[in-house]
Amino acid sequence: MALSEGRVAGKVALITGAARGQGEAEARLFASEGAKVIVADVLDEQGEAVAADIGEAATFVHLDVSSESDWAHAAAVVADIGGASVLVNNAAILVPAAIENTSLEDYMKVINVNQIGTFLGMKAVFPQMKSKGGGSIVNISSIDGMQSKNGLISYTASKFAIRGMTKTAAIEWGRFGIRVNSVHPGGVNTLMGNPMNDPTAEKEPYQFQAINRIGRPEEIANAVLFLASDAASYVTGAELSVDGGWRAGLITPGLPGTEFTVEYGYS
């Protein structure tokens, strides 16, 4: 069934990390639903290509989310277009390593992009949203912002922080009509979630979750669109998991309630 059009018509949405993957899917969906979209990324060539392909509804801006001056420039671009109605803090990096092998430099690299970038983004758009009488901020956390895995000390720290920052902002800015929510994706078939574009990686790690496959970027984008739209007008400070049921619990072969065929040599 086709989705309805115009759910963010008339809104101006700044989306970080929008040159590819999940951010690109969000940018394309928002534009198709009536928003003016600012495609923000450090990947200039790819970001410009995405904006050009979307068309007149999209504008590319170079944005290193860890840079306060870059955020000031991006905010000025958004102001010229009409002021921010929506911010999607999507940009993130991942540097997997055991704790004892994680240098302070690598740890802070992740924190500066994922956590500090989210903080700076919220702070940068706040004056515009306040003056417009409201807006929606969607911070992309992760299921690793609710639990963790080995090798993800810096990533998990940043994603847990986003969870808390989202709630603080929701409490402080609700009186201005600004809603702030977090989205918690599970595995997503992007360069981060499946860097080798391996078909086995799209299925094998997820075979014991309720929806036994990796997620698609468009599925995350649809959740983000809902929170950005007026359909979520009474939703703030919330955590929306989009994880195929990962956090609900994993299927246990042999117990009642499921017919389950073990694949890939698991037993």
Side-chain angles (χ1 to χ4, degrees):
M1 181 174 64
L3 296 170
S4 61
E5 295 182 353
R7 287 177 290 175
V8 285
K11 297 185 186 295
V12 179
L14 170 58
I15 302 174
T16 69
R20 64 188 185 190
Q22 193 171 287
E24 178 184 351
E26 292 157 2
R28 292 184 182 277
L29 179 61
F30 273 63
S32 74
E33 292 283 347
K36 294 180 180 178
V37 177
I38 293 81
V39 175
D41 212 303
V42 292
L43 302 174
D44 295 343
E45 186 174 344
Q46 290 174 259
E48 288 170 355
V50 168
D53 191 53
I54 291 173
E56 62 181 15
T59 301
F60 174 75
V61 63
H62 176 89
L63 175 60
D64 173 356
V65 296
S66 67
S67 166
E68 194 164 15
S69 60
D70 274 16
W71 270 112
H73 171 66
V77 172
V78 178
D80 287 342
I81 296 173
S85 311
V86 177
L87 169 65
V88 182
N89 277 313
N90 175 81
I93 61 172
L94 172 66
V95 182
I99 295 171
E100 64 270 24
N101 297 325
T102 300
S103 67
L104 178 59
E105 180 182 4
D106 282 345
Y107 183 89
M108 291 307 302
K109 185 186 301 182
V110 175
I111 296 299
N112 284 333
V113 172
N114 299 4
Q115 179 180 337
I116 302 303
T118 297
F119 162 71
L120 292 175
M122 292 194 296
K123 191 174 179 182
V125 302
F126 169 69
Q128 294 180 24
M129 289 188 176
K130 181 181 178 183
S131 68
K132 293 183 73 167
S136 175
I137 297 173
V138 184
N139 295 327
I140 307 300
S141 180
S142 169
I143 57 171
D144 296 312
M146 295 180 167
Q147 56 184 49
S148 190
K149 302 180 185 72
N150 51 296
L152 296 182
I153 184 67
S154 54
Y155 185 78
T156 294
S158 70
K159 294 301 187 177
F160 263 83
I162 288 171
R163 223 176 130 195
M165 292 158 59
T166 295
K167 296 183 185 306
T168 300
I171 293 165
E172 292 188 7
W173 295 346
R175 67 187 186 276
F176 303 118
I178 301 170
R179 298 182 296 102
V180 191
N181 295 286
S182 59
V183 171
H184 299 258
V188 185
N189 202 15
T190 63
L191 280 175
M192 180 180 287
N194 185 12
M196 303 303 292
N197 196 26
D198 179 2
T200 302
E202 297 175 18
K203 180 80 172 178
E204 183 172 349
Y206 309 98
Q207 64 170 307
F208 292 113
Q209 72 179 30
I211 300 175
N212 60 340
R213 61 167 173 80
I214 198 169
R216 296 186 293 268
E218 295 78 12
E219 292 173 312
I220 312 303
N222 276 314
V224 173
L225 179 71
F226 164 70
L227 290 173
S229 75
D230 293 340
S233 59
Y234 200 53
V235 181
T236 196
E239 302 168 349
L240 178 55
S241 293
V242 191
D243 62 2
W246 181 283
R247 293 196 68 252
L250 301 182
I251 295 168
T252 303
L255 291 182
T258 183
E259 294 294 330
F260 189 77
T261 301
V262 178
E263 300 177 3
Y264 304 112
Y266 282 70
S267 61

